Amino acid sequence: MKDTDKRHEGGGRRTGTEKSEKDQSWIPKIIKKRVCTTFVEDSLSNGVLCQCGGVRETHCSIATGDFFGAAIVSQWDSSQHSSEYPTDAFGELEFAGAGRRHSHFLRLSCDTPPHIIYSLMTAHWGVPSPNLVVSVVGGREKVKPWVREVLRQGLVRAAQSTGAWIVTGGLREGVGRCVGEAVRDHAAAASSLSQKKVIAVGVAPWGLVHNRQWLVNSEGSFPARYYVQNTSHDSCCLDSNYQAFLLVDDGSVGQRGGETAFRAKMEDYISHQRTGSGSIDVPVLCMLISGDAAMLERVDLSLKKATPWLVLNGSGPAADLICELLDALSAGPMSPPSPQPEVEGSEKTSAELRDRARERVRRHFPAKADLEKLVDRVSALSIYKNRDLITVFHGEQESSDDFDTVLLKALVRASKRVSSDASEYTEELKLAVAWNRVDIAKSELFNGDIQWKYEDLEDSMTDALINDKPQFIRLFNENGLNILDYLTYRHLEVLYRSLSDSSLAFTLLQRLLTERQGLAICSPKEVSRLLWDILGDVCEPFYYSLLGLDQSASTRRALKVLLQGDCSYREQSCLYPWASLFIWAVLQNRSEMAVYFWEMAGESVHSALAGCKILRELSKLESETETKLSMKELAQKFENLALDVFSECYQSSESRSFTLLIRQSPVWGKATCLQMATSADARHFFSHDGVQSLLSQIWWGDMKRSTKVWKLVLSFFLPPLIYTNLISFRLVSVCLKMSNPLNVKYAEVTPPFSEDVEEYAALRDNLKSAPSSNPKRPFVLLRWREFWFAPVTSFLGNVLMYFLFLILFAYILLLDFKPPPPHGPSTLEFVLYFWVFTMVCEEIRQTFFRGNTTLYQRMKLYIEDMWNKCDITAISLFALGMCCRMFPWSYEFGRAVLAVDYMVFTLRLIHIFAIHKQLGPKIIIVEKMMKDIFFFLFFLAVWLLAYGVANQALLYSYDPRPGWIFRRVFYRPYLHIFGQIPIHEMDGGIECTNNATLVEAGAEPCMSTDHNWLVVILLVIFLLVTNILLVNLLIAMFSHTFSKVQEHSDNYWKFQRYNLIVEYHSRPCLAPPFILISHLHLIIKRHIRKIPSTKIKHFVLEIHGREASRLNTWEAIQKENILFAQNKREREKDSERLKRTSLEYCSSALSWMTEALSQSNLVKTTRPPPALRGKVAYSLPYDTGYMYDLFLWKVASYLSSHGI
């Protein structure tokens, strides 16, 4: 213990590691070391050394001979001549001067059970469980440069992407040193999170480690300081770039191979453990680099355990030997050997194997004396029989960038030799999903050889969804996975529980889960509430019917349902699986996955607009700038998709596209496309001609859109004119009109497709056979309704009556504003009061008698509109002014309030004229410029305050009048901007006094002329800043706003036009003050006679059954046309065409050259031709590709001219 303390840098470090020491105090009781206890003389050492490598003095017994002089023991064996004792070397290792975290180390017996060591590493040392183990073995000679590149760019990067353990000897020699340097280089360039994913483990023989005595401490070392000397050359020192060292002790000293058996057992044990995610067994792959003759026995040992191998061809003797044997056996026309050598007929094959192996062993290991023994060892490998377990990597021909692909292919090939049943490949499929290598999955697992079932793909589908692998989801969907069977509500809950802790959706759901009394199980109730908060009242709540709840159900009731354990819904399949997955992906801002789910889901236009709405609402809540921008970009992408699909639908069939806009969606809570687009602020979508055409038809009602406005105004004053030919009405079949109110908008459109003609014909036949529920109205009543019930008529009536209201209001304020009672108000003023009262009634109707939502939601929706706020302000001021003018003491105040209120009512005209095609966009620009004015006023107020206070202090030494101080500080500097500068006052040319008493009494104080020069300088600076700088800044801001908004002002206007059309479409046909008649009519019709409104069907249409199915199918066809056109445009791009042309030509030319060279005797090769890799052609720029083609052409011409 004292020796250990001396190696520590101080007592403080010992205190800091007391917890680690306590946690590992059990190690000596369970884990042992081995010590050679029997001296077996080594004949080459003249009796000084034992065959274990130790000196005679360290052994307690000697095996020399018996009484007859014959040797009893001639070969040392670890199990017989060594004994186990408690280990005395474990703990943490600090490499002096390395400047990195401590490594763990342990001295253990070669017979230690692997499960104890694995548990120690993962549970006590904190090493993450591996998703893959790559065991690298090789020789001690110098590693070739290309092998170093494979280790650095290929192996370590693959380990980082998969979370793998890299197991080597852990010493600073040969392959172990190269792996350590590759791990070091990766750690220097990668983040701390990536560094934790690359775990390098060294498994070395204890007796071979240099300076191992520094590690010995029976109580553990925390840490043990380890010095590495002469780092420029290979040595048997431990490498500082490894996280853990397992020092296997078989009792030998200075000898190699003692760790081989334990290492093989450890690899086999890990291969039967589950990965960190628990979905598959940990795959283990051995990697052979170079190697000596003893390495062949190591390969044989692992192949017997069915462990796959990856051999680097060209790296060294052992690897090259195995590669040549594989090539020779594959090229030879012989059958595989029998699994039992005793079977008759196998002697000929074995002899042939020996002959081929002898020739190649002699070439690669010429110095070996026991050639026949080595040939027996090679023949025993049964390489041809186990060829599926061996994958050859041609490092000089293949790029290290594809090393992860080679690893996965090696594992998949090894598993294919077991069975062709799909269940045998599920672990490899899960591994491919974990590595996101869909190309390998397509070529190796989904090439038609394996029949996949739903049960085989279920877990992998979940992994692909959680880990954002949309290409795998597409692959599974195309190869046997039925989404209706997969996506139950239980699976959906699992997906929502897997949300990343850093995602905004997870944070929002966690807030909702706080009401669940500590139950951290995300149910459809929380998801539904989250979507309700995001989407608002544009649609009904999701998943409420699943729990037996309605829209008004309280949180307490929903919680009671969940706590009672009524979870039978979890085994039900989702009614709309693709839409549910689409919502789940959009909430996480997963672009590619969300687009794929949108492609698979129905109601394409509606789904795209819903995704746009969700993303734009989430972007308002997101705090991360980069994530916010990506959300906005994805939202715009979905709006463009909705626009593209609707444009294709509009070109295909105008009538069906109109139905598409106003039909209620069962998937999206009975919302319509127009409602969803309004909520999503999809201005670009509203600017489409199809949407505007529908709005125009709704706006004009049954009248033709070519009707002049003056004709409508004239008909207001002379109603009998509507029965003449002054106004043109569209000819619509009365029967069709009563059956389908949509036809009042587009009945004059000729169906362009035969399907539409069939629908119209079928509809007419049904109408003829069906009894009419409503009798045909007389022509007089029908024409009256067609004129007065059109939104344009309601709008013009409101405009005319509003102008009359303003004229009446102005006349009363200017000419007929009587004194308080009993002398007033006048009769016209009472008419004005009644007029405003009818306006209040209309505002109440708009607030409380619209839709089926709750009272709070109606009030919230009403308040959110800016012009409704203007109405509330105007009515409130009018009520205040009316009350104040009734009393003598507040009469003047009431008059002033009413005067200001008149301004508010007049400004309301701006909203009315927003419908105008020329004025509407200009109003949008004015609204945007108002925001610029506030910024200007802020800067102006700063300068006014600064100059006003300084000017007042310099000119007036004493003036206690607050009113005058306010005027001089703010009012006068403001007038200075417009040129009103009182020069005579500054020069002191007015009557004044310096008497404080007179000044306090109200006299004008005298100005101080001592600092007139400074006042003039400040005035010049003030005018320079305000008149030149700030005013020009305001002009520049206006110009920028105008140029920015002018480009999109038409879209803004068309969007506002929709809101205005909806408003006047829902209003009664009569305007205030006659609107009371319409209100009474509505009360009788809706609440007494219970007659539903047919007018609302102009914006909301509910269709079911065959009609809905045909509409969805037609929309899906248009979406497929759009996607096909987009893919075609991508393929026809010049760059893509150049890449394909270059790839095809290079492939053909290289194939021709390879075939020509293989059939000629001009060139002799020692290895097969390299495989053509597509990435070469794809990475060539245009000029380089041209020179490459020219080179190939010249080579081909040369070969052709020589007759090759």
Side-chain angles (χ1 to χ4, degrees):
M1 186 68 181
K2 293 181 181 179
D3 296 338
T4 306
D5 293 339
K6 289 180 182 179
R7 289 193 294 267
H8 292 173
E9 291 183 346
R13 181 170 298 182
R14 179 71 177 180
T15 304
T17 57
E18 286 180 355
K19 184 176 180 180
S20 299
E21 183 178 357
K22 182 178 180 180
D23 293 342
Q24 301 184 26
S25 59
W26 57 270
I27 291 180
K29 302 177 184 178
I30 298 178
I31 300 176
K32 308 297 182 180
K33 67 177 181 178
R34 275 200 171 273
V35 178
C36 181
T37 56
T38 303
F39 182 84
V40 179
E41 181 179 343
D42 185 3
S43 59
L44 300 178
S45 63
N46 296 325
V48 178
L49 299 178
C50 175
Q51 291 186 16
C52 72
V55 296
R56 181 186 293 266
E57 290 76 11
T58 59
H59 296 74
C60 58
S61 64
I62 301 176
T64 54
D66 55 9
F67 294 101
F68 303 98
I72 300 177
V73 180
S74 60
Q75 184 67 34
W76 184 84
D77 183 77
S78 174
S79 59
Q80 297 181 11
H81 304 127
S82 63
S83 303
E84 291 186 343
Y85 298 92
T87 184
D88 57 357
F90 63 93
E92 297 178 356
L93 189 62
E94 178 185 4
F95 289 90
R100 62 180 305 277
R101 64 181 183 274
H102 296 173
S103 302
H104 300 278
F105 75 97
L106 173 67
R107 178 184 181 184
L108 67 152
S109 171
C110 59
D111 297 328
T112 305
H115 71 274
I116 297 178
I117 305 304
Y118 185 78
S119 176
L120 171 68
M121 296 177 65
T122 55
H124 297 274
W125 287 359
V127 179
S129 300
N131 294 324
L132 168 70
V133 174
V134 180
S135 181
V136 184
V137 296
R140 302 185 302 274
E141 62 274 6
K142 186 177 180 180
V143 179
K144 297 181 179 180
W146 67 267
V147 177
R148 292 177 178 269
E149 190 68 18
V150 168
L151 295 176
R152 180 181 293 105
Q153 300 294 335
L155 176 62
V156 176
R157 191 182 63 178
Q160 185 271 329
S161 63
T162 58
W165 286 6
I166 303 177
V167 182
T168 71
L171 302 178
R172 294 185 59 84
E173 61 176 7
V175 175
R177 178 168 184 166
C178 290
V179 171
E181 292 174 350
V183 173
R184 178 198 62 196
D185 296 341
H186 170 267
S191 61
S192 57
L193 181 62
S194 299
Q195 293 178 21
K196 295 179 181 179
K197 293 183 179 180
V198 181
I199 306 298
V201 180
V203 182
W206 165 261
L208 194 64
V209 177
H210 184 63
N211 293 330
R212 57 187 177 276
Q213 67 276 6
W214 293 345
L215 310 179
V216 176
N217 186 347
S218 60
E219 297 183 3
S221 302
F222 302 95
R225 293 184 62 85
Y226 188 82
Y227 295 90
V228 179
Q229 301 175 354
N230 194 14
T231 58
S232 60
H233 297 86
D234 288 352
S235 63
C236 292
C237 297
L238 298 179
D239 196 309
S240 61
N241 298 303
Y242 287 74
Q243 285 85 347
F245 294 95
L246 301 178
L247 307 179
V248 183
D249 190 3
D250 64 343
S252 64
V253 178
Q255 297 183 7
R256 301 180 182 273
E259 82 288 357
T260 301
F262 172 80
R263 185 170 172 178
K265 291 189 297 182
M266 185 74 175
E267 293 165 358
D268 182 64
Y269 173 79
I270 295 178
S271 67
H272 293 86
Q273 306 305 305
R274 308 297 284 180
T275 59
S277 59
S279 57
I280 59 174
D281 290 340
V282 178
V284 177
L285 177 69
C286 294
M287 180 176 175
L288 177 60
I289 300 176
S290 185
D292 52 13
M295 197 59 62
L296 300 175
E297 185 177 358
R298 170 74 169 88
V299 174
D300 184 29
L301 184 63
S302 295
L303 287 177
K304 289 179 179 178
K305 298 180 181 294
T307 302
W309 278 82
L310 178 63
V311 181
L312 267 64
N313 189 14
S315 60
D320 296 347
L321 174 61
I322 293 177
C323 293
E324 289 189 13
L325 287 174
L326 285 173
D327 294 340
L329 294 174
S330 300
M334 69 177 185
S335 59
S338 175
Q340 298 180 1
E342 294 82 9
V343 178
E344 185 180 358
S346 62
E347 290 80 1
K348 181 178 180 181
T349 302
S350 300
E352 186 178 357
L353 278 173
R354 289 181 60 85
D355 294 338
R356 295 185 181 183
R358 183 181 297 104
E359 178 184 355
R360 286 165 176 80
V361 168
R362 183 181 296 107
R363 183 169 64 254
H364 288 282
F365 300 104
K368 284 292 181 179
D370 49 350
L371 182 61
E372 290 301 323
K373 182 178 181 181
L374 189 57
V375 169
D376 293 338
R377 185 182 301 173
V378 173
S379 300
L381 290 175
S382 302
I383 292 178
Y384 186 73
K385 182 181 67 176
N386 296 313
R387 64 188 182 278
D388 291 333
L389 292 174
I390 302 176
T391 302
V392 178
F393 178 75
H394 301 279
E396 294 181 342
Q397 303 170 19
E398 302 182 55
S399 172
S400 58
D401 296 338
D402 296 335
F403 195 76
D404 51 352
T405 306
V406 175
L407 292 181
L408 185 56
K409 283 187 176 182
L411 296 171
V412 173
R413 285 188 58 202
S415 64
K416 276 191 173 183
R417 69 195 302 267
V418 181
S419 172
S420 60
D421 188 9
S423 60
E424 302 293 340
Y425 301 96
T426 54
E427 294 186 359
E428 283 67 31
L429 177 59
K430 293 177 182 179
L431 188 61
V433 173
W435 291 4
N436 196 23
R437 296 311 301 261
V438 69
D439 53 341
I440 301 176
K442 286 181 178 180
S443 61
E444 300 292 337
L445 301 175
F446 292 92
N447 54 7
D449 297 338
I450 307 172
Q451 298 299 324
W452 294 97
K453 300 178 182 178
Y454 166 75
E455 295 79 8
D456 304 321
L457 302 176
E458 182 179 2
D459 293 339
S460 297
M461 179 68 170
T462 303
D463 292 341
L465 285 168
I466 294 176
N467 298 306
D468 193 14
K469 309 292 176 57
Q471 294 180 344
F472 274 99
I473 299 173
R474 187 188 300 269
L475 184 65
F476 297 154
N477 187 46
E478 296 171 354
N479 290 272
L481 187 138
N482 188 350
I483 194 64
L484 293 174
D485 296 334
Y486 170 78
L487 194 65
T488 61
Y489 289 102
R490 180 183 299 277
H491 274 130
L492 191 61
E493 288 183 358
V494 171
L495 294 179
Y496 276 102
R497 292 173 202 165
S498 67
L499 295 178
S500 173
D501 297 349
S502 60
S503 65
L504 178 61
F506 176 83
T507 305
L508 297 177
L509 284 174
Q510 286 299 115
R511 294 177 185 174
L512 298 175
L513 283 172
T514 55
E515 302 176 2
R516 293 279 301 275
Q517 301 179 359
L519 298 178
I521 300 177
C522 181
S523 70
K525 172 67 170 55
E526 281 68 34
V527 179
S528 178
R529 287 190 56 192
L530 175 60
L531 294 176
W532 177 263
D533 294 339
I534 294 175
L535 294 174
D537 56 356
V538 69
C539 57
E540 297 178 357
F542 291 77
Y543 310 126
Y544 263 48
S545 59
L546 189 67
L547 302 174
L549 304 173
D550 54 15
Q551 181 177 345
S552 59
S554 62
T555 303
R556 184 180 298 276
R557 181 181 174 187
L559 180 62
K560 182 179 179 181
V561 172
L562 294 171
L563 292 178
Q564 286 176 350
D566 186 12
C567 299
S568 59
Y569 69 89
R570 292 181 176 174
E571 303 306 324
Q572 301 177 17
S573 298
C574 285
L575 188 59
Y576 306 105
W578 290 116
S580 299
L581 290 176
F582 174 73
I583 294 173
W584 175 77
V586 167
L587 288 175
Q588 299 181 85
N589 192 29
R590 294 182 174 181
S591 175
E592 187 177 356
M593 184 177 288
V595 171
Y596 172 67
F597 291 150
W598 171 82
E599 294 177 2
M600 301 302 298
E603 303 186 4
S604 305
V605 177
H606 215 135
S607 299
L609 292 173
C612 176
K613 165 66 176 177
I614 295 174
L615 288 165
R616 283 177 176 165
E617 292 298 326
L618 290 177
S619 66
K620 299 175 184 177
L621 305 174
E622 181 60 53
S623 57
E624 297 290 337
T625 304
E626 186 176 353
T627 306
K628 182 191 293 288
L629 291 177
S630 65
M631 286 181 175
K632 291 181 179 180
E633 291 176 359
L634 184 56
Q636 188 60 46
K637 181 176 182 178
F638 278 121
E639 183 180 352
N640 294 336
L641 287 173
L643 182 63
D644 293 341
V645 175
F646 178 75
S647 178
E648 187 74 14
C649 293
Y650 184 69
Q651 294 177 9
S652 174
S653 174
E654 184 177 354
S655 59
R656 283 185 171 182
S657 64
F658 289 167
T659 307
L660 196 66
L661 290 176
I662 62 176
R663 67 98 179 259
Q664 286 185 331
S665 169
V667 180
W668 296 99
K670 297 184 178 180
T672 66
C673 284
L674 290 179
Q675 292 172 347
M676 190 66 74
T678 305
S679 179
D681 197 22
R683 297 185 177 92
H684 195 46
F685 180 80
F686 268 102
S687 65
H688 190 270
D689 293 339
V691 180
Q692 293 302 309
S693 178
L694 173 63
L695 296 179
S696 297
Q697 292 188 11
I698 296 176
W699 177 248
W700 285 96
D702 290 332
M703 294 180 289
K704 290 186 177 181
R705 285 183 284 179
S706 59
T707 305
K708 302 296 181 182
V709 176
W710 66 267
K711 295 181 180 181
L712 297 178
V713 176
L714 185 60
S715 300
F716 269 90
F717 298 101
L718 298 174
L721 293 177
I722 64 177
Y723 300 103
T724 65
N725 293 327
L726 180 66
I727 299 178
S728 300
F729 290 85
R730 290 181 293 168
L731 298 177
V732 185
S733 174
V734 177
C735 294
L736 282 176
K737 186 176 168 186
M738 290 191 304
S739 174
N740 186 1
L742 285 177
N743 290 327
V744 301
K745 299 183 291 297
Y746 50 81
E748 61 183 82
V749 179
T750 302
F753 291 96
S754 59
E755 293 182 357
D756 295 329
V757 176
E758 293 175 0
E759 288 183 3
Y760 279 100
L763 182 58
R764 291 192 183 98
D765 295 339
N766 294 336
L767 288 172
K768 290 179 181 178
S769 60
S772 179
S773 58
N774 296 325
K776 181 178 179 180
R777 293 188 177 94
F779 171 77
V780 176
L781 182 59
L782 178 62
R783 183 55 54 88
W784 181 268
R785 289 177 57 87
E786 288 176 345
F787 177 78
W788 289 105
F789 278 45
V792 64
T793 308
S794 176
F795 170 75
L796 290 176
N798 277 272
V799 171
L800 293 176
M801 298 307 296
Y802 198 77
F803 272 109
L804 291 176
F805 166 76
L806 292 178
I807 292 172
L808 176 62
F809 200 170
Y811 175 80
I812 292 172
L813 283 177
L814 299 176
L815 301 175
D816 198 22
F817 199 77
K818 301 296 183 180
H823 304 288
S826 63
T827 304
L828 289 178
E829 192 169 347
F830 278 113
V831 173
L832 180 66
Y833 295 164
F834 177 75
W835 203 318
V836 175
F837 170 73
T838 59
M839 291 182 177
V840 174
C841 293
E842 174 59 18
E843 297 300 322
I844 293 175
R845 186 198 66 82
Q846 293 181 18
T847 306
F848 301 103
F849 297 96
R850 290 179 59 183
N852 299 321
T853 56
T854 61
L855 179 61
Y856 170 76
Q857 293 166 352
R858 297 174 190 173
M859 295 182 63
K860 180 182 178 182
L861 182 63
Y862 177 83
I863 294 296
E864 287 177 352
D865 187 81
M866 182 186 68
W867 295 109
N868 288 337
K869 296 176 184 177
C870 181
D871 292 337
I872 294 174
T873 304
I875 293 173
S876 301
L877 289 176
F878 188 87
L880 178 62
M882 181 186 67
C883 293
C884 292
R885 67 97 57 220
M886 297 297 177
F887 304 98
W889 56 271
S890 59
Y891 172 78
E892 294 298 334
F893 177 74
R895 181 185 177 91
V897 171
L898 289 175
V900 174
D901 188 39
Y902 181 82
M903 295 179 60
V904 180
F905 273 113
T906 306
L907 292 176
R908 189 68 169 77
L909 286 172
I910 296 177
H911 176 56
I912 294 176
F913 289 113
I915 194 67
H916 197 270
K917 191 170 184 179
Q918 280 72 36
L919 292 178
K922 301 303 183 291
I923 294 174
I924 301 297
I925 295 175
V926 171
E927 291 178 1
K928 298 294 182 180
M929 288 183 175
M930 291 298 295
K931 299 180 181 179
D932 297 335
I933 291 181
F934 285 106
F935 290 104
F936 169 77
L937 292 178
F938 169 75
F939 290 111
L940 182 61
V942 172
W943 277 99
L944 284 177
L945 179 64
Y947 171 73
V949 172
N951 185 70
Q952 174 71 9
L954 293 173
L955 291 179
Y956 297 94
S957 60
Y958 178 72
D959 189 355
R961 298 171 297 177
W964 281 91
I965 292 176
F966 181 81
R967 289 181 60 185
R968 293 190 181 112
V969 171
F970 292 100
Y971 179 61
R972 283 193 176 184
Y974 181 74
L975 294 180
H976 290 174
I977 299 175
F978 302 98
Q980 297 185 14
I981 303 174
I983 301 297
H984 61 284
E985 293 184 7
M986 297 172 58
D987 296 335
I990 60 174
E991 295 183 2
C992 60
T993 179
N994 289 323
N995 191 334
T997 304
L998 296 177
V999 171
E1000 293 176 357
E1004 181 69 19
C1006 293
M1007 289 186 295
S1008 175
T1009 58
D1010 298 336
H1011 304 286
N1012 273 9
W1013 61 273
L1014 184 56
V1015 173
V1016 173
I1017 294 176
L1018 292 179
L1019 177 62
V1020 172
I1021 296 175
F1022 173 72
L1023 294 178
L1024 179 67
V1025 173
T1026 55
N1027 287 19
I1028 297 179
L1029 181 62
L1030 293 183
V1031 173
N1032 283 280
L1033 175 63
L1034 180 63
I1035 295 173
M1037 293 170 65
F1038 281 170
S1039 300
H1040 174 70
T1041 301
F1042 181 84
S1043 60
K1044 182 176 65 174
V1045 178
Q1046 178 66 22
E1047 182 180 357
H1048 305 286
S1049 60
D1050 188 61
N1051 292 347
Y1052 283 97
W1053 168 72
K1054 290 179 178 177
F1055 182 74
Q1056 286 198 349
R1057 178 173 179 257
Y1058 165 78
N1059 296 324
L1060 193 66
I1061 291 175
V1062 171
E1063 178 184 348
Y1064 283 96
H1065 179 270
S1066 62
R1067 278 195 176 191
C1069 56
L1070 297 179
F1074 307 108
I1075 200 171
L1076 269 185
I1077 301 174
S1078 296
H1079 287 167
L1080 293 176
H1081 176 260
L1082 287 175
I1083 292 174
I1084 296 173
K1085 189 175 181 179
R1086 300 285 181 266
H1087 301 282
I1088 298 178
R1089 299 181 62 188
K1090 304 295 184 180
I1091 299 177
S1093 173
T1094 58
K1095 194 176 180 180
I1096 194 175
K1097 294 183 179 179
H1098 296 167
F1099 278 103
V1100 177
L1101 179 64
E1102 187 174 0
I1103 57 177
H1104 301 284
R1106 182 184 177 188
E1107 294 182 5
S1109 177
R1110 295 184 67 178
L1111 184 64
N1112 291 333
T1113 303
W1114 172 75
E1115 182 186 10
I1117 293 174
Q1118 310 311 315
K1119 177 189 66 177
E1120 293 298 329
N1121 293 338
I1122 285 293
L1123 296 177
F1124 176 77
Q1126 290 179 352
N1127 294 333
K1128 185 177 180 180
R1129 285 194 298 268
E1130 289 293 330
R1131 292 194 303 268
E1132 289 179 352
K1133 288 181 179 179
D1134 293 339
S1135 58
E1136 295 296 329
R1137 293 177 63 187
L1138 177 63
K1139 289 179 180 178
R1140 292 198 305 272
T1141 303
S1142 178
L1143 176 61
E1144 293 171 359
Y1145 178 74
C1146 291
S1147 300
S1148 301
L1150 290 175
S1151 300
W1152 182 82
M1153 290 173 58
T1154 303
E1155 182 180 359
L1157 290 174
S1158 62
Q1159 295 178 0
S1160 68
N1161 297 323
L1162 182 64
V1163 181
K1164 297 295 185 179
T1165 60
T1166 59
R1167 60 175 183 270
L1172 181 63
R1173 299 172 59 253
K1175 290 186 177 181
V1176 175
Y1178 276 81
S1179 62
L1180 293 175
Y1182 181 83
D1183 295 337
T1184 308
Y1186 172 77
M1187 297 301 295
Y1188 185 60
D1189 293 343
L1190 183 61
F1191 166 74
L1192 290 177
W1193 178 77
K1194 288 182 177 293
V1195 173
S1197 300
Y1198 171 80
L1199 295 175
S1200 178
S1201 63
H1202 286 75
I1204 300 176

